[in-house]
Amino acid sequence: MRPFLMAWCPPGCTDQDATSSLLRASTHEERLLVTSVSTPPERSTTEWRGLYLSGNVRLDDRGAVLRLLPASDHGAASDQELVLRAWRSVGSGVLEHLTGAFGFAMWDSARAALLVVRDHLGLQPVYWTTTPGGSVLVGSDPQLLLAHPQVDARLDNRAVLAEFVNEGRYLLSRSLHLAIAKVPPASVLHVEPGRTEVREYWIPKPMPVERSPEAWVEGLAERVRVAVAAAVEGEGPYGAHLSGGLDSAAVSCHAQRVLLARGQALLGVWSWSPPPPDKPVDGEHSRIARLAMQLGAPLHHTALTAADLRRSMSDALQPGVQTDLLHEELVADSAARTGVKVMLSGWGGDEFASFNGRGLMAWQLRQRRYGWAARGAYARSTGAGPRRMVRAARTLVRQHQVPDSPWVPREIEAAMGALRAQGWDVRDVLPDGDAVIRAAFELKPPAAAATTQLELLGRGHLTKRIETWAHAGSRVGLEYRYPLLDRRVVEYAVSIPDAVHLRGGSRWVFRAAVQDLVGSALAWGQLKQEPAKWSAQAQLLSQVEPELPQGDADAARIAQWWFRARRELIRLSQQ
């Protein structure tokens, strides 16, 4: 992600000098300044017939955009220029044909309008604000906007708490600062004199297509292969996450296959698990080691130390610092030192491509589709004969007990109660803090597969991690790519019928789709477990918690509450 900054001083703005100084002092390559008296705009990076673009654009399907243009316009050298030509040709309708990662500001000089676009899944962060003097600022990082003297740097305490407890819905359109907003994923911000609006341009819709289960599997396999191949277009060099799970394994295996075919290879694979003991006996380490050997790629473990946790705690008490970097910050640093420029991740697979049908069986029971539910329970049970039937019956009983209304796991209630008993209550800092916490951990009622997948998309946790990693990667020159969040994969995944999800065991569709990539043993084996990773983190928390930094600022008190809550949750989960 290349940092970019754009500013518009419309007629009548009173802070044009400050805004112009901000842009001219910027050292970033991607800069665009539009004032009421500057024609054409200053420092634009890409221009086409009165359209000026500043930002990041990486297209994974250029052919879909080229088909919108006459042959005479097919000579666009960059993805940015291709988007501008298509926009000039078909207007905002081009958004229906874009696949990839993009976040950009575009100035339409003919209409005196500013358009700010963010990709479908929010892979490229985009922030914006309006100053008291009337300037509109857009950038890839809130710190770029805070450099303007009229932008209020105060924190939004509700957003700070949402950041710590991973309540991503609140953060889809808000930053940690009161004055700075985000352009949400799959949205366009439209600004012109007298008009400012944000419009959503995409939501994945199931395709009503009749296919055999085997055809659904092959269709998913093809889209995964295409998405991974698109993610390794270019020189790289490339690295990949490797957790031992199906998602990261499928991405890594096919990426390595594509790279080797053109004389390249992954520089390495990175695991969040700690280094194994001299004689590893647990399945977590041996599983990851076998995968790395199968890939022929160097394996890097994450040696998390007490010093790393102390730094993480200290950083979390700083205004506006994002969390979710405890392991990945070390991975990013290690990958960058190895020479990696692009890191591939399987993040987002659980929600779409490798969706496990969570809640689907319970929903079938509530719809009185007992035959479907029974067949699904039997398919997901092991053994044979009467023993398998008994296990299927137990599964049905457990699924029938899933509540009909939203609920909060008992572990969360217990952790909050334990903290209050110790004199720590987040409501002392934020009166409605409990509502934020409950929203973060609330589980929705069982529903059809596509309904659940869309609800997961709307929770914002996918985008929250993507944004955090984008900022961490930008610091060391590392770009993250997520093939399983490719728009084509997502749209296909939400179309897979419930009956196909219930056909076999958990994640049957994805297992069948990737078995040729990862091998049958991994595809149909036990799903990953990470006891070593969580045990190491629990030990470090117990060592470092007494040293928790103190502070009276609201953000610091929220951070202190969060670390104590995390300790309680890990303690309760190990009982």
Side-chain angles (χ1 to χ4, degrees), residues 70 187 233 240 243 262 277 298 314 317 392 449 455 499 553:
S187 297
E233 283 291 328
S243 66
R262 64 174 193 240
S314 177
L317 299 179
E455 192 276 328

Side-chain angles (χ1 to χ4, degrees), residues 92-110:
S92 61
V94 69
L95 296 173
E96 300 176 11
H97 304 272
L98 298 184
T99 298
F102 47 89
F104 59 85
M106 185 171 64
W107 173 251
D108 187 337
S109 59

Side-chain angles (χ1 to χ4, degrees), residues 132 178 184 238 253 299 364 368 389 399 462 483 534:
L178 285 167
Y238 297 93
C253 287
L299 172 60
Q364 295 282 354
R368 299 185 178 182
M389 294 180 68
Q399 292 296 321
L462 292 172
W534 293 113

Side-chain angles (χ1 to χ4, degrees), residues 390-432:
V390 169
R391 288 173 174 169
R394 288 175 178 170
T395 298
L396 285 173
V397 171
R398 287 196 301 270
Q399 292 296 321
H400 189 67
Q401 294 172 345
V402 174
D404 288 308
S405 57
W407 60 294
V408 177
R410 285 173 293 182
E411 289 83 356
I412 305 301
E413 294 282 12
M416 292 167 63
L419 290 170
R420 288 178 188 136
Q422 299 170 28
W424 281 90
D425 194 337
V426 74
R427 291 175 298 186
D428 294 339
V429 184
L430 199 62
D432 60 350

Side-chain angles (χ1 to χ4, degrees), residues 221-305:
E222 175 61 22
R223 283 161 178 79
V224 169
R225 289 193 292 265
V226 168
V228 173
V232 293
E233 283 291 328
E235 297 181 0
Y238 297 93
H241 284 151
L242 194 67
S243 66
L246 280 178
D247 299 342
S248 64
V251 170
S252 300
C253 287
H254 191 55
Q256 185 74 315
R257 182 180 299 181
V258 173
L259 290 170
L260 289 174
R262 64 174 193 240
Q264 295 177 272
L266 293 170
L267 288 190
V269 288
W270 277 261
S271 167
W272 281 9
S273 296
D278 293 336
K279 295 182 179 180
V281 294
D282 61 277
E284 178 180 347
H285 285 112
S286 59
R287 183 187 184 104
I288 295 170
R290 284 197 304 270
L291 272 169
M293 186 176 299
Q294 178 180 329
L295 287 166
L299 172 60
H300 304 263
H301 288 282
T302 304
L304 192 65
T305 67

Side-chain angles (χ1 to χ4, degrees), residues 10 43 80 130 145 181 245 247 284 361 367 384:
R43 300 182 187 269
Q80 287 94 329
T130 303
L145 310 187
D247 299 342
E284 178 180 347
M361 201 179 303
Q367 299 299 308

Side-chain angles (χ1 to χ4, degrees), residues 340-364:
V340 172
K341 295 297 182 183
V342 177
M343 177 68 79
L344 305 175
S345 172
W347 178 240
D350 287 349
E351 288 74 9
F352 298 106
S354 64
F355 181 64
N356 65 0
R358 68 189 77 172
L360 181 54
M361 201 179 303
W363 181 76
Q364 295 282 354

